[in-house]
Amino acid sequence: MTKDVITLTPTMPDVRTLLAGLYAGGPDLGVRTTADGAVVQLCAPDGRTLVSVEAPVLVQVPGEVERLLGPVPAVPDGPVWWTEARASTAVPEAEQLAASFAGRLATVLDGTTWPPKALTTAVVPVPSGTDAPPETEGIPPAVDVLTEQAAVVFQDRPVVAMTSWLSDALRTAITSDRALQIVTPDTTRLTLPARAALGGHPHRWVVQDGEDGYYDGLSGAVLHWQGDSFAPARTTSAGTPVAAAFADRTDSGDRQLVLSLRTRHPADEHLVLGRALEAAWHHITGAAPAGWSTAEPVNHPWTTRQLTDLARRRAPQPTWFTVVGHPDRPALATLRVTRTTAGVEEEMTLAVGHGPAEDLPLGAVLPLAEALSAPEHGLTSMLATVRRARRDLTVPAHIEAPPVPVSFTLGPDPVQDIGLPHARRPPHDLLPAPLGPSARPALHYPLGDGTDPQTWTALRRLTQHLRAGS
């Protein structure tokens, strides 16, 4: 499998240090840049890429290294420079070369590497000729195999995050009408942003399993390599078998409170984005978010102004963000900002992790709904759910229970569009609480305490009733 090697240093690797690391294979190797200089590639004499190195990222958000890599010995205190290298699968020596590159950077800059065993400075001889397939122009460094149907990425790390490498691979797959397929061991977990990216057809999380070969980490379907992509295996009854490893799980007692929010704002020069998400964070965790970024690791300290400025520069194209909380309370959100004919829309999902001995802050949901009903937040809807899932918010390669609804809040504008008399008289004794001004209220519909799956039926009937009035 492709080996990703990460160097963590207290100071930024300069050009000389990067070049010293890149020549771990000797002076006969070549160096070139791609992606407008954001990626440096170490090349064999015949032109094949051996190692790709992404531009260093300054991670200023506490807890990000541990969240994505687990405990790493000797991590420098304070902000760290994260320099990631990927070894090509085409040349056997590339993996050792990536490790030596990382080890040289760490040695010169008094840093460390992940994995720790990559801390080496050995010179790695590279044969002048290989049996590797010829270089294919336009393949991003993160993609290991590119076929007519799929862009396949091998990952061997504890947590697969939505890094800029992976975002680049996803863009390549989408723009070329291919499926992104990430192949991992069965011990790997996904972050919620990575899970969201792989949750839509035709993309797939391919998990290696000793008993069944491969299976889909999100559905459990047994997979086979068919033609030029991984696809579900078929039985004689035309069904798809489910891997035994996927169904094997133990309930740890961990739970997540998940809020799915939508807002809409007039598009004007005074608009500041992220305030509704910030309010939700304060109500549920008691603190503001810790950081934001357009990829993982999250590297910028939290600020709504800079987030807004970036979304404005990218408009009318949508902008996707990841937002994280402080290490003592696992909290993570995705935020998508879109310019539409109706204005500027925010779509966000906030998940907050709790252990078996921790109380879920369900009592904070109604006050949050009331706060978001204020005109400056532009709330259109908020769905609160509870799910039995890991406190650390990562997604394992086995079955997880679906979320259970707790409440649904309809913003003031949708209530007016539907009609207040119709919206406040839903079926089946659901009594909404009016929030905000009586002439133009939001409506908060309590559904349950997050333990009864039958509340999905109540939510479905409620949404059918509301649609009938719009």
Side-chain angles (χ1 to χ4, degrees):
M1 301 191 73
T2 295
K3 294 295 184 182
D4 300 336
V5 185
I6 298 163
T7 311
L8 304 167
T9 57
T11 55
M12 180 180 179
D14 58 19
V15 174
R16 286 187 177 183
T17 307
L18 287 172
L19 287 174
L22 288 168
Y23 284 116
D28 294 333
L29 302 185
V31 177
R32 66 184 176 212
T33 61
T34 63
D36 297 325
V39 176
V40 178
Q41 294 181 325
L42 182 61
C43 308
D46 57 11
R48 292 180 173 87
T49 299
L50 302 172
V51 176
S52 299
V53 181
E54 194 171 35
V57 174
L58 178 60
V59 179
Q60 305 175 71
V61 180
E64 274 299 274
V65 171
E66 293 78 9
R67 183 176 75 88
L68 300 180
L69 301 178
V72 180
V75 175
D77 293 331
V80 296
W81 287 92
W82 175 300
T83 306
E84 189 157 345
R86 285 181 56 84
S88 169
T89 54
V91 181
E93 293 79 11
E95 187 176 313
Q96 297 171 280
L97 197 58
S100 184
F101 162 80
R104 289 173 178 229
L105 254 63
T107 300
V108 172
L109 300 177
D110 195 25
T112 189
T113 63
W114 179 92
K117 65 181 181 181
L119 191 55
T120 176
T121 59
V123 175
V124 182
V126 178
S128 58
T130 73
D131 295 327
E135 192 81 11
T136 303
E137 186 176 356
I139 299 179
V143 175
D144 294 292
V145 178
L146 191 68
T147 72
E148 290 295 321
Q149 296 187 21
V152 182
V153 177
F154 296 124
Q155 294 272 271
D156 186 8
R157 52 205 298 176
V159 176
V160 170
M162 200 61 192
T163 62
S164 55
W165 296 98
L166 203 54
S167 297
D168 190 28
L170 180 60
R171 281 192 297 270
T172 296
I174 292 174
T175 55
S176 61
D177 197 26
R178 291 179 170 94
L180 176 64
Q181 300 190 333
I182 300 179
V183 183
T184 75
D186 58 4
T187 54
T188 293
R189 291 165 280 123
L190 305 181
T191 64
L192 291 178
R195 191 254 182 266
L198 292 175
H201 180 78
H203 311 305
R204 194 178 295 281
W205 178 17
V206 181
V207 178
Q208 291 183 317
D209 175 50
E211 182 174 340
D212 294 299
Y214 298 93
Y215 67 92
D216 189 300
L218 301 179
S219 71
V222 174
L223 304 174
H224 292 162
W225 181 261
Q226 301 180 28
D228 52 7
S229 68
F230 287 97
R234 300 294 182 183
T235 63
T236 54
S237 60
T240 300
V242 174
F246 181 75
D248 183 17
R249 69 179 296 268
T250 301
D251 187 355
S252 66
D254 288 357
R255 290 170 296 170
Q256 298 172 7
L257 175 60
V258 182
L259 302 176
S260 301
L261 299 94
R262 292 176 179 268
T263 66
R264 183 182 300 127
H265 312 272
D268 63 55
E269 60 184 10
H270 303 295
L271 174 63
V272 178
L273 299 167
R275 286 180 171 174
L277 181 59
E278 185 176 65
W281 224 287
H282 272 291
H283 276 78
I284 302 302
T285 73
W292 70 278
S293 187
T294 56
E296 295 177 285
V298 172
N299 60 319
H300 301 297
W302 174 251
T303 162
T304 54
R305 174 55 64 186
Q306 292 181 6
L307 182 147
T308 302
D309 290 344
L310 178 59
R312 183 173 284 120
R313 289 196 300 270
R314 293 187 173 186
Q317 296 299 316
T319 303
W320 179 91
F321 299 99
T322 294
V323 184
V324 297
H326 298 274
D328 58 340
R329 168 56 62 206
L332 188 148
T334 57
L335 167 63
R336 180 180 171 86
V337 177
T338 309
R339 181 72 166 89
T340 69
T341 55
V344 179
E345 299 187 6
E346 296 174 288
E347 181 180 354
M348 60 208 93
T349 300
L350 167 62
V352 185
H354 295 79
E358 296 174 310
D359 293 330
L360 289 171
L362 298 182
V365 176
L366 177 57
L368 169 61
E370 187 165 16
L372 294 179
S373 66
E376 62 266 24
H377 288 305
L379 178 70
T380 58
S381 67
M382 179 176 73
L383 174 65
T385 61
V386 170
R387 61 193 307 247
R388 292 191 173 276
R390 293 176 61 103
R391 183 182 186 274
D392 65 9
L393 306 178
T394 59
V395 181
H398 60 61
I399 192 170
E400 290 189 310
V404 177
V406 171
S407 64
F408 179 74
T409 306
L410 196 63
D413 287 348
V415 168
Q416 293 299 310
D417 294 340
I418 291 169
L420 181 57
H422 183 84
R424 70 190 310 169
R425 292 184 176 85
H428 305 288
D429 299 325
L430 288 177
L431 299 177
L435 307 174
S438 58
R440 194 178 179 81
L443 293 177
H444 179 77
Y445 303 87
L447 299 170
D449 62 0
T451 61
D452 184 6
Q454 294 303 316
T455 50
W456 277 114
T457 301
L459 178 61
R460 184 175 65 252
R461 289 172 177 170
L462 171 61
T463 54
Q464 289 172 347
H465 171 79
L466 296 175
R467 288 194 189 101
S470 59

Short mmCIF file of all heavy atoms in Angstrom, two decimals, residues 414-425 432 434 437-443 445:
data_model
loop_
_atom_site.label_atom_id
_atom_site.label_comp_id
_atom_site.label_asym_id
_atom_site.label_seq_id
_atom_site.Cartn_x
_atom_site.Cartn_y
_atom_site.Cartn_z
N PRO A 414 -39.61 30.20 6.16
CA PRO A 414 -40.39 29.04 5.72
C PRO A 414 -41.77 28.95 6.38
O PRO A 414 -42.74 28.52 5.74
CB PRO A 414 -39.51 27.85 6.10
CG PRO A 414 -38.13 28.39 6.14
CD PRO A 414 -38.28 29.78 6.65
N VAL A 415 -41.87 29.34 7.65
CA VAL A 415 -43.19 29.33 8.31
C VAL A 415 -44.15 30.26 7.59
O VAL A 415 -45.32 29.92 7.35
CB VAL A 415 -43.05 29.73 9.80
CG1 VAL A 415 -44.43 30.00 10.40
CG2 VAL A 415 -42.34 28.63 10.59
N GLN A 416 -43.65 31.45 7.22
CA GLN A 416 -44.51 32.39 6.48
C GLN A 416 -44.87 31.85 5.11
O GLN A 416 -46.00 32.03 4.63
CB GLN A 416 -43.79 33.73 6.34
CG GLN A 416 -43.58 34.46 7.65
CD GLN A 416 -44.88 34.79 8.35
OE1 GLN A 416 -45.80 35.35 7.74
NE2 GLN A 416 -44.99 34.43 9.62
N ASP A 417 -43.93 31.19 4.43
CA ASP A 417 -44.21 30.63 3.11
C ASP A 417 -45.28 29.54 3.18
O ASP A 417 -46.14 29.44 2.31
CB ASP A 417 -42.93 30.07 2.49
CG ASP A 417 -41.90 31.15 2.19
OD1 ASP A 417 -42.30 32.33 2.09
OD2 ASP A 417 -40.71 30.81 2.07
N ILE A 418 -45.20 28.72 4.21
CA ILE A 418 -46.15 27.63 4.37
C ILE A 418 -47.49 28.15 4.86
O ILE A 418 -48.56 27.66 4.46
CB ILE A 418 -45.59 26.58 5.36
CG1 ILE A 418 -44.40 25.87 4.74
CG2 ILE A 418 -46.66 25.57 5.77
CD1 ILE A 418 -43.63 25.01 5.72
N GLY A 419 -47.44 29.18 5.70
CA GLY A 419 -48.64 29.71 6.33
C GLY A 419 -48.64 29.30 7.79
O GLY A 419 -48.62 28.11 8.11
N LEU A 420 -48.67 30.32 8.69
CA LEU A 420 -48.59 30.03 10.12
C LEU A 420 -49.71 29.11 10.61
O LEU A 420 -49.45 28.16 11.36
CB LEU A 420 -48.58 31.34 10.91
CG LEU A 420 -48.48 31.22 12.43
CD1 LEU A 420 -47.24 30.45 12.83
CD2 LEU A 420 -48.47 32.61 13.07
N PRO A 421 -50.98 29.33 10.21
CA PRO A 421 -52.03 28.42 10.70
C PRO A 421 -51.79 26.96 10.34
O PRO A 421 -52.02 26.06 11.15
CB PRO A 421 -53.29 28.97 10.04
CG PRO A 421 -52.99 30.41 9.78
CD PRO A 421 -51.54 30.43 9.42
N HIS A 422 -51.32 26.72 9.11
CA HIS A 422 -51.07 25.34 8.68
C HIS A 422 -49.84 24.76 9.40
O HIS A 422 -49.87 23.61 9.86
CB HIS A 422 -50.85 25.31 7.17
CG HIS A 422 -50.65 23.93 6.62
ND1 HIS A 422 -51.69 23.09 6.28
CD2 HIS A 422 -49.51 23.22 6.36
CE1 HIS A 422 -51.22 21.94 5.84
NE2 HIS A 422 -49.89 22.00 5.86
N ALA A 423 -48.77 25.56 9.52
CA ALA A 423 -47.53 25.05 10.10
C ALA A 423 -47.66 24.75 11.59
O ALA A 423 -46.99 23.85 12.09
CB ALA A 423 -46.40 26.06 9.88
N ARG A 424 -48.52 25.47 12.29
CA ARG A 424 -48.61 25.27 13.73
C ARG A 424 -49.63 24.19 14.11
O ARG A 424 -49.82 23.94 15.30
CB ARG A 424 -48.96 26.58 14.42
CG ARG A 424 -50.36 27.10 14.18
CD ARG A 424 -50.51 28.51 14.71
NE ARG A 424 -50.01 28.63 16.09
CZ ARG A 424 -49.83 29.80 16.71
NH1 ARG A 424 -50.08 30.94 16.06
NH2 ARG A 424 -49.41 29.83 17.95
N ARG A 425 -50.25 23.55 13.11
CA ARG A 425 -51.21 22.48 13.40
C ARG A 425 -50.81 21.20 12.66
O ARG A 425 -51.50 20.74 11.76
CB ARG A 425 -52.62 22.90 13.00
CG ARG A 425 -53.18 24.01 13.86
CD ARG A 425 -54.62 24.33 13.50
NE ARG A 425 -55.20 25.33 14.38
CZ ARG A 425 -55.08 26.64 14.22
NH1 ARG A 425 -54.38 27.11 13.19
NH2 ARG A 425 -55.64 27.48 15.07
N PRO A 432 -45.94 22.42 18.31
CA PRO A 432 -44.72 23.22 18.14
C PRO A 432 -44.68 24.38 19.13
O PRO A 432 -45.71 24.92 19.54
CB PRO A 432 -44.83 23.72 16.70
CG PRO A 432 -46.29 23.79 16.44
CD PRO A 432 -46.90 22.65 17.22
N PRO A 434 -43.70 28.21 19.51
CA PRO A 434 -43.35 29.39 18.72
C PRO A 434 -42.14 30.09 19.33
O PRO A 434 -42.02 30.24 20.54
CB PRO A 434 -44.61 30.26 18.80
CG PRO A 434 -45.28 29.83 20.06
CD PRO A 434 -44.94 28.39 20.27
N PRO A 437 -40.66 36.73 17.51
CA PRO A 437 -41.84 37.61 17.46
C PRO A 437 -43.10 36.83 17.09
O PRO A 437 -43.08 35.98 16.19
CB PRO A 437 -41.47 38.62 16.38
CG PRO A 437 -39.99 38.59 16.30
CD PRO A 437 -39.59 37.20 16.63
N SER A 438 -44.22 37.13 17.77
CA SER A 438 -45.46 36.39 17.53
C SER A 438 -45.98 36.59 16.12
O SER A 438 -46.66 35.72 15.57
CB SER A 438 -46.52 36.81 18.55
OG SER A 438 -46.75 38.23 18.47
N ALA A 439 -45.70 37.75 15.51
CA ALA A 439 -46.19 38.01 14.16
C ALA A 439 -45.40 37.24 13.10
O ALA A 439 -45.92 36.99 12.00
CB ALA A 439 -46.13 39.50 13.85
N ARG A 440 -44.16 36.87 13.43
CA ARG A 440 -43.32 36.17 12.46
C ARG A 440 -42.43 35.17 13.21
O ARG A 440 -41.20 35.31 13.26
CB ARG A 440 -42.46 37.18 11.69
CG ARG A 440 -41.80 36.62 10.43
CD ARG A 440 -41.02 37.70 9.71
NE ARG A 440 -40.36 37.18 8.54
CZ ARG A 440 -40.93 36.99 7.36
NH1 ARG A 440 -42.21 37.31 7.20
NH2 ARG A 440 -40.26 36.50 6.33
N PRO A 441 -43.03 34.13 13.77
CA PRO A 441 -42.25 33.22 14.61
C PRO A 441 -41.58 32.11 13.81
O PRO A 441 -41.95 31.81 12.67
CB PRO A 441 -43.31 32.62 15.53
CG PRO A 441 -44.53 32.54 14.65
CD PRO A 441 -44.47 33.78 13.77
N ALA A 442 -40.55 31.53 14.42
CA ALA A 442 -40.08 30.21 14.02
C ALA A 442 -40.89 29.19 14.82
O ALA A 442 -41.51 29.53 15.83
CB ALA A 442 -38.60 30.06 14.31
N LEU A 443 -40.90 27.94 14.38
CA LEU A 443 -41.63 26.89 15.08
C LEU A 443 -40.69 25.73 15.38
O LEU A 443 -40.00 25.24 14.49
CB LEU A 443 -42.82 26.39 14.25
CG LEU A 443 -43.96 27.39 14.03
CD1 LEU A 443 -45.04 26.78 13.13
CD2 LEU A 443 -44.57 27.84 15.36
N TYR A 445 -40.48 21.91 16.76
CA TYR A 445 -41.28 20.70 16.94
C TYR A 445 -40.48 19.66 17.73
O TYR A 445 -39.55 19.05 17.18
CB TYR A 445 -41.67 20.11 15.59
CG TYR A 445 -42.42 21.04 14.68
CD1 TYR A 445 -41.73 21.92 13.83
CD2 TYR A 445 -43.80 21.05 14.63
CE1 TYR A 445 -42.40 22.77 12.98
CE2 TYR A 445 -44.50 21.90 13.77
CZ TYR A 445 -43.79 22.76 12.95
OH TYR A 445 -44.47 23.60 12.10
#
